[in-house]
């Protein structure tokens, strides 16, 4: 498997290139606007970017999915609830994206619908082989960060209250992400400095087990306490967030 994290310090933002080295098929997740590095690295690794996946509609930066689609012919994919002005592939909860071939199995991504930060938020479980009991990792977008969880208040202007979104977030975290084995690596969409959370670590990777132990928002507590904890005292969202989305 080819797996590369690209971390852009000025945006505190991570994107990911994942490919099967046997077939050369690859996906790119949450790309930044400047796509040249992705294209160079994919060519050097003998990979073809066939799909660009967004874990959600981004508010804090402009993504490069349209540029990548034009440059590579790749399709663009979002969670089922996304509303866009361009054609997309809608990814269903539990859907598998196979990058390998029928004989070897190869690299597989499994889609988890994880609403809470946004309605269309998804996470992607990455396995080197389809039947691996412990995944290589999970790309958590803005649902789970190292040291924090996604803020649930950004859709309040669209009629979804922070309370309602926090309830969805709690169920996504406990019903989907914390159900993964502790050894599963966590690859978030942002690190410290992002306005998409308030307690993000400077670390750009972790594990499910470590976050279960140290992340303040994942400690055992009733759902109502979690909702109060993550919905209260969020910093004001920058004014450009709604425009970017």
């Amino acid at each position: 498997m080819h797996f590369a994290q690209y971390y852009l310090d000025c945006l505190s933002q991570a994107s990911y290139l994942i490919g099967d080295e046997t077939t050369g098929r690859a996906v790119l997740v949450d790309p930044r606007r400047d796509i040249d590095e992705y294209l160079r690295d994919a060519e050097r690794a003998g990979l073809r970017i066939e799909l660009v996946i967004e874990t959600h509609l981004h508010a804090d930066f402009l993504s490069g999915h349209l540029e990548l689609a034009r440059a590579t012919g790749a399709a663009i994919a979002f969670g089922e609830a996304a509303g866009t002005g361009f054609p997309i592939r809608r990814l269903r909860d539990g859907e598998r994206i196979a990058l390998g071939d029928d004989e070897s199995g190869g690299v597989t991504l499994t889609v988890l619908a994880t609403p809470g930060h946004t309605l269309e938020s998804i996470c992607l479980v990455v396995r080197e082989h389809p039947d691996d009991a412990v995944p290589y990792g999970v790309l958590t977008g803005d649902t789970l960060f190292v040291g924090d969880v996604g803020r649930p208040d950004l859709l309040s202007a669209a009629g979804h209250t922070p309370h309602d979104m926090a309830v969805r977030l709690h169920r996504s975290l406990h019903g989907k992400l914390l159900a993964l084995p502790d050894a599963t690596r966590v690859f978030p969409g942002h690190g410290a400095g992002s306005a998409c959370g308030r307690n993000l670590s400077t670390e750009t990777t972790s594990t499910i087990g470590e976050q279960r132990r140290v992340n303040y928002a994942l400690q055992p507590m009733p759902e109502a306490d979690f909702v109060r904890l993550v919905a209260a005292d969020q910093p004001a969202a920058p004014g450009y967030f709604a425009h970017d989305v």
Side-chain angles (χ1 to χ4, degrees):
M1 178 173 68
H2 180 97
F3 185 97
Q5 181 191 68
Y6 299 82
Y7 194 78
L8 189 60
D9 287 328
C10 64
L11 291 179
S12 303
Q13 186 264 335
S15 51
Y16 300 89
L17 176 63
I18 306 164
D20 188 294
E21 294 174 335
T22 301
T23 64
R25 302 175 63 198
V27 302
L28 192 55
V29 181
D30 290 340
R32 61 177 181 256
R33 193 72 180 273
D34 181 358
I35 65 172
D36 290 348
E37 186 175 10
Y38 306 132
L39 298 178
R40 286 196 302 268
D41 288 357
E43 182 178 11
R44 289 170 182 163
L47 299 174
R48 303 180 306 279
I49 299 172
E50 298 183 349
L51 189 64
V52 181
I53 303 176
E54 298 286 8
T55 57
H56 63 294
L57 292 162
H58 302 291
D60 58 310
F61 71 100
L62 298 182
S63 178
H65 50 258
L66 295 175
E67 286 82 0
L68 277 162
R70 285 193 290 267
T72 66
I76 301 170
F78 280 85
E80 283 191 291
T84 67
F86 47 88
I88 61 172
R89 173 177 166 183
R90 296 186 183 275
L91 299 176
R92 304 180 310 276
D93 184 43
E95 180 175 347
R96 282 192 170 193
I97 300 169
L99 301 179
D101 55 37
D102 292 337
E103 293 184 4
S104 65
V107 178
T108 303
L109 280 63
T110 303
V111 178
L112 301 180
T114 52
H117 176 65
T118 68
L119 294 173
E120 77 284 352
S121 288
I122 59 173
C123 297
L124 300 166
V125 180
V126 181
R127 288 180 169 86
E128 291 193 72
H129 310 95
D131 298 325
D132 287 346
V134 178
Y136 176 82
V138 57
L139 276 57
T140 55
D142 285 17
T143 300
L144 173 64
F145 301 121
V146 178
D148 205 349
V149 295
R151 59 189 296 177
D153 62 311
L154 296 183
L155 290 181
S156 57
H160 301 281
T161 68
H163 176 280
D164 292 342
M165 296 302 292
V167 168
R168 293 173 187 260
L169 182 62
H170 182 269
R171 294 171 183 173
S172 293
L173 291 165
H174 289 269
K176 300 288 182 65
L177 291 179
L178 291 180
L180 296 170
D182 280 353
T184 306
R185 300 173 181 88
V186 170
F187 298 100
H190 290 289
S194 169
C196 292
R198 59 186 175 192
N199 193 46
L200 282 67
S201 170
T202 56
E203 299 295 325
T204 61
T205 65
S206 183
T207 65
I208 289 292
E210 181 180 23
Q211 291 309 296
R212 193 192 307 277
R213 291 190 300 274
V214 305
N215 191 315
Y216 76 96
L218 301 184
Q219 300 312 298
M221 69 184 81
E223 182 181 275
D225 290 349
F226 172 88
V227 169
R228 284 191 291 270
L229 181 65
V230 303
D233 301 323
Q234 289 286 357
Y240 65 86
F241 270 26
H243 176 75
D244 274 10
V245 170

